[in-house]
Amino acid sequence: NAALSHLKSIKPNDGWSVKRDDNGLRLYRRNVALTDNSFVDIHYCVQNQVVVGLLTKAATTCQVLVTRNGQPMSARAFVSCKDTYDPNNNNSKIQHKKTTTTTTNPRSTNPARASSTTSNNTTTFSPEDNKMILQYGAMIVVASVLLRALSSSLILLIYFVGLPLVYVYALQTCPPASSFDAKKELKRVLRGHHLPEDHPEKPKGFLEELATRVAASVTTELATLPGYEVSMMPMAGAVILVDLVIPTASTQHYW
């Protein structure tokens, strides 16, 4: 049966079948008839690539039942298949008794059909396609190697060029050691100048800031009155490390 074989090849799980009644043949999909009327024969029209039901024996008038994509035809459409239909040599005729039904179980597995479907779905690449795939693969490999080389070169560039630039900038902007005022910097620390705005010990409001400033000034003067020790350690002229020790308060601060 050419029509059923075609339908099973493009839609193997739709349960196609052909049944004969008193008026002729009808095409079923999952045991549901596609049309209410019967036909002289069910035929696969190679010219139009559709499955049709013959309304005339010469196939001059045929109703389209299934489209070329295997979808049942929702609207009525008619074609002529007289050039492709041979009533004397037609595989679409059913050679069973009137009550015999040919059904397809969508869950069953037919080894021959599965083999045919597998062979039909196998994609064969031409030599030109294989050459193009190899070219794309080589391009991807070369691109990855170049990216890795560029990333390594960028790291080396940052190391050999960026670090000297950072050192020169630090050397130019480093303040002299004589500009460090120990009392002033200690007052800034005590009033929380270095703390972030959301820190709980950061003074909030004008009055609180004023009170903190006064307390920091008094504490600094009382703590440094007996004396304090400042040690400075220049580091390559770019950074100066300052160590402030207040013996009376037993504290030590770094800048």
Side-chain angles (χ1 to χ4, degrees), residues 177-191 216-217 219-221 223-224 227-232 242-246 253-255:
S178 58
S179 64
F180 182 78
D181 189 343
K183 289 186 177 182
K184 180 180 179 181
E185 295 299 329
L186 184 58
K187 291 177 183 180
R188 290 163 62 92
V189 172
L190 293 178
R191 70 170 183 259
S217 298
T219 303
T220 300
E221 294 298 333
T224 58
Y228 56 90
E229 182 181 351
V230 178
S231 301
M232 296 188 180
V242 180
D243 180 14
L244 175 61
V245 179
I246 305 175
H253 304 273
Y254 296 94
W255 285 267

Side-chain angles (χ1 to χ4, degrees), residues 123-142:
T123 303
T124 303
F125 294 100
S126 64
E128 291 77 8
D129 295 335
N130 293 330
K131 183 178 180 181
M132 185 175 298
I133 292 174
L134 291 176
Q135 289 178 350
Y136 286 149
M139 291 173 61
I140 293 174
V141 173
V142 172

Side-chain angles (χ1 to χ4, degrees), residues 2-91:
L4 279 179
S5 299
H6 170 71
L7 292 175
K8 292 176 184 178
S9 65
I10 61 175
K11 293 289 184 178
N13 297 324
D14 280 13
W16 302 100
S17 61
V18 175
K19 298 180 182 180
R20 182 184 296 275
D21 56 18
D22 295 336
N23 298 321
L25 298 176
R26 298 174 70 180
L27 179 62
Y28 287 76
R29 178 174 176 264
R30 295 171 182 166
N31 293 326
V32 178
L34 270 65
T35 58
D36 295 332
N37 53 318
S38 301
F39 302 96
V40 176
D41 200 355
I42 304 298
H43 172 64
Y44 172 59
C45 183
V46 180
Q47 180 179 359
N48 297 297
Q49 297 183 1
V50 293
V51 175
V52 299
L54 273 66
L55 297 174
T56 58
K57 293 183 179 180
T60 55
T61 304
C62 304
Q63 182 177 344
V64 179
L65 303 179
V66 183
T67 64
R68 66 177 61 189
N69 297 326
Q71 299 296 328
M73 194 70 178
S74 58
R76 282 200 172 191
F78 300 92
V79 295
S80 175
C81 301
K82 63 180 181 178
D83 296 333
T84 61
Y85 180 72
D86 184 4
N88 297 323
N89 185 19
N90 180 31
N91 292 328

Side-chain angles (χ1 to χ4, degrees), residues 191 208-220:
R191 70 170 183 259
E208 189 174 352
E209 289 183 359
L210 180 60
T212 304
R213 284 176 179 271
V214 173
S217 298
V218 173
T219 303
T220 300

Side-chain angles (χ1 to χ4, degrees), residues 86-120:
D86 184 4
N88 297 323
N89 185 19
N90 180 31
N91 292 328
S92 63
K93 290 185 177 180
I94 306 301
Q95 302 296 333
H96 303 288
K97 295 180 180 180
K98 183 179 295 185
T99 58
T100 302
T101 301
T102 303
T103 60
T104 300
N105 188 352
R107 298 184 180 272
S108 64
T109 303
N110 189 335
R113 187 184 68 190
S115 175
S116 176
T117 304
T118 303
S119 62
N120 291 335

